[in-house]
Amino acid sequence: MTETPALPALWPAPLADGTVHATVTVPGSKSVTNRALVLAALAAEPGWVRRPLRSRDSQLMADALRAMGVGIEETVSSSSAGDGAGGEAWRVIPAALHGPTTVDVGNAGTVMRFLPPVATLADGDIRFDGDPRSYERPLGQVISALRTLGARIDDDGRGALPMTVLGGGALEGGTVEIDAGNSSQFVSALLLSAPRFNQGVEVRHVGGNLPSMPHIRMTVEMLRAAGAQVDTPEAGGEKDVWRVTPGALLGRDMVVEPDLSNAQPFLAAALITGGTVTVPDWPRRTTQPGDALRRIFTEMGGSCELTDAGLVFTGTGKIHGIDVDLSEVGELTPGIAAVAALADSESVLRGVAHLRLHETDRLAALTKEINGLGGDVTETADGLRIRPRQMRGGVFHTYDDHRMATAGAVIGLAVEGVQIENVATTAKTLPDFPKMWTDMLAGDADGSGVPGAGAGA
């Protein structure tokens, strides 16, 4: 990744001095990129990941797979699929996985959860370590499930990082029960590697409500696209049970969609200022949770249209409060909370208790930071109640959480004097966010300031 200028410890969030009118090219989806890398690494033949996201999380995933023996060549090429998906591409060359090595997960949930099952297939020990916050994030369900399926893991009884997977070159697999109430990634982690397990896997969720179901659907669709046989509840199977049959994965030519959740702050800018933002290449059909923004932001006062140019979103400058269940799209909560703090009526965001276990405790962090600017946010058992108030400038802390940083920038559009602490944390999934933000406000309609789907910094 190319060097970018150092950002100030406190970044002055730009105040919008008029309506926003811009086209914003959003980089590729982190969720799709990291799943595609895992599936390509486990395939029986080389494959391509086109338009990948280049960010801290995706680089951590690529570096971890390389450390286990996978070849990943970064190239610029044309697409053999005839879909115009040329440009930045990663050629993934599967190889016999091996250790000993150490994997740095950073604070990436996909890396810390998706790769331990992969490591069970390696010949040798794979140690997993990461940022201090990664030690606090839930991983015990994945560890215990892998042990049930035949893995040997040394975690000193913590049920968390750091830990070492004692790879034996294969995993028996079979049936396992898991409580994925804290993260849908627990289910996805087991499904992604399951075609390589001797017996495949049958995963049974035995907890309460399962959050972020769109991400599990994304995993299933991508597995099927790679040639796996997956039986799901949606296909008439048992409720909260997924079965993956053992078999070879095919090397595919996978094109990464734009990250729709990362489009959120830019759409919010149109909503808040009464302007128009166009996001090119918005898919007409997708499993990404961010697609829900079309409905949610329309209910909050905007309008949108899918055109040949992409998604065209227009605001009126009026923002309405909303009562909404975000259990399936919890990652959108910080941005929605930021918009709701500027609305003309109360909002209630429900179904997101699991956000207390994300990059930070997002419910506590949003409450503290919005209230610190004069807002009125109250935590509920499973979400937030937000009553609009006149807000003032001040420091908006991010807690090393990329979505907190973009939420602060959204508030800063309408509140003068907001300063974002550590805006550089946006590099986790959205490289060059500060430049993208200022280019949008300047009406950069060609996206020249944006690292296009993986082709920039």
Side-chain angles (χ1 to χ4, degrees):
M1 298 172 67
T2 57
E3 293 293 326
T4 54
L7 292 163
L10 294 177
W11 180 69
L15 183 72
D17 58 5
T19 57
V20 168
H21 295 280
T23 295
V24 179
T25 300
V26 178
S29 163
K30 175 206 71 176
S31 299
V32 174
T33 297
N34 280 2
R35 283 166 173 78
L37 284 171
V38 171
L39 292 171
L42 296 176
E45 56 195 349
W48 290 95
V49 179
R50 301 188 186 276
R51 296 181 178 173
L53 171 68
R54 277 183 169 275
S55 71
R56 187 186 185 212
D57 277 19
S58 59
Q59 201 66 54
L60 286 166
M61 180 66 83
D63 289 346
L65 291 169
R66 287 186 179 112
M68 287 191 272
V70 177
I72 301 178
E73 301 172 353
E74 302 179 20
T75 67
V76 177
S77 68
S78 59
S79 171
S80 62
D83 56 7
E88 181 90 11
W90 289 350
R91 177 73 163 166
V92 182
I93 304 169
L97 303 173
H98 61 79
T101 192
T102 296
V103 166
D104 176 11
V105 309
N107 191 20
T110 52
V111 181
M112 74 179 69
R113 292 164 183 153
F114 292 178
L115 289 190
V118 175
T120 66
L121 305 171
D123 183 8
D125 297 350
I126 311 294
R127 178 172 172 78
F128 289 85
D129 207 339
D131 297 353
R133 172 63 179 171
S134 72
Y135 296 1
E136 304 170 9
R137 298 185 68 184
L139 190 61
Q141 289 291 318
V142 174
I143 293 172
S144 60
L146 289 173
R147 285 180 173 142
T148 298
L149 298 174
R152 294 182 301 143
I153 299 174
D154 179 6
D155 65 343
D156 290 333
R158 288 184 301 270
L161 293 178
M163 68 176 190
T164 300
V165 176
L166 309 176
L171 191 70
E172 190 58 26
T175 299
V176 65
E177 293 186 344
I178 190 169
D179 181 353
N182 286 332
S183 175
S184 67
Q185 289 178 356
F186 299 167
V187 174
S188 289
L190 299 173
L191 299 184
L192 285 167
S193 294
R196 290 282 301 273
F197 299 165
N198 294 341
Q199 297 182 36
V201 80
E202 178 180 292
V203 179
R204 293 177 169 268
H205 167 60
V206 294
N209 290 334
L210 188 56
S212 303
M213 276 297 296
H215 278 127
I216 296 180
R217 297 187 192 108
M218 177 187 294
T219 297
V220 169
E221 286 205 5
M222 292 184 69
L223 274 163
R224 287 173 173 161
Q229 180 179 329
V230 189
D231 296 324
T232 68
E234 292 90 344
E238 298 175 67
K239 183 179 185 298
D240 293 342
V241 177
W242 295 263
R243 297 182 181 90
V244 180
T245 301
L249 291 172
L250 306 175
R252 292 298 198 192
D253 199 322
M254 292 181 274
V255 180
V256 178
E257 299 172 349
D259 193 315
L260 307 188
S261 295
N262 276 341
Q264 181 179 39
F266 306 101
L267 301 182
L271 181 61
I272 291 166
T273 68
T276 298
V277 166
T278 300
V279 179
D281 300 319
W282 193 287
R284 293 187 178 272
R285 180 186 176 278
T286 181
T287 53
Q288 287 193 62
D291 195 45
L293 289 167
R294 292 192 291 155
R295 169 181 57 83
I296 294 169
F297 278 174
T298 295
E299 289 182 23
M300 297 186 80
S303 63
C304 65
E305 182 183 4
L306 271 175
T307 71
D308 291 342
L311 180 72
V312 180
F313 186 86
T314 303
T316 61
K318 294 182 179 179
I319 308 165
H320 309 310
I322 191 171
D323 187 325
V324 61
D325 184 343
L326 299 176
S327 57
E328 291 207 343
V329 294
E331 66 193 47
L332 304 180
T333 302
I336 293 170
V339 173
L342 303 170
D344 59 12
S345 59
E346 179 178 287
S347 294
V348 178
L349 314 184
R350 296 179 283 106
V352 287
H354 60 285
L355 294 189
R356 295 187 169 98
L357 300 169
H358 275 218
E359 281 83 345
T360 187
D361 179 342
R362 284 179 171 165
L363 300 185
L366 286 164
T367 300
K368 184 173 187 295
E369 297 310 313
I370 294 175
N371 288 350
L373 301 179
D376 183 1
V377 182
T378 305
E379 275 194 67
T380 65
D382 72 338
L384 300 172
R385 184 179 299 275
I386 303 170
R387 300 175 181 87
R389 270 188 180 179
Q390 184 71 36
M391 291 194 288
R392 58 181 179 271
V395 176
F396 193 94
H397 298 89
T398 63
Y399 309 88
D400 294 322
D401 186 333
H402 56 133
R403 299 205 192 279
M404 287 295 296
T406 53
V410 166
I411 293 173
L413 288 172
V415 178
E416 186 173 6
V418 174
Q419 298 182 84
I420 311 299
E421 173 265 336
N422 188 21
V423 73
T425 195
T426 53
K428 178 180 172 70
T429 62
L430 194 54
D432 266 2
F433 169 74
K435 188 174 189 306
M436 293 175 69
W437 198 243
T438 54
D439 284 350
M440 172 196 70
L441 290 171
D444 180 4
D446 62 3
S448 60
V450 178

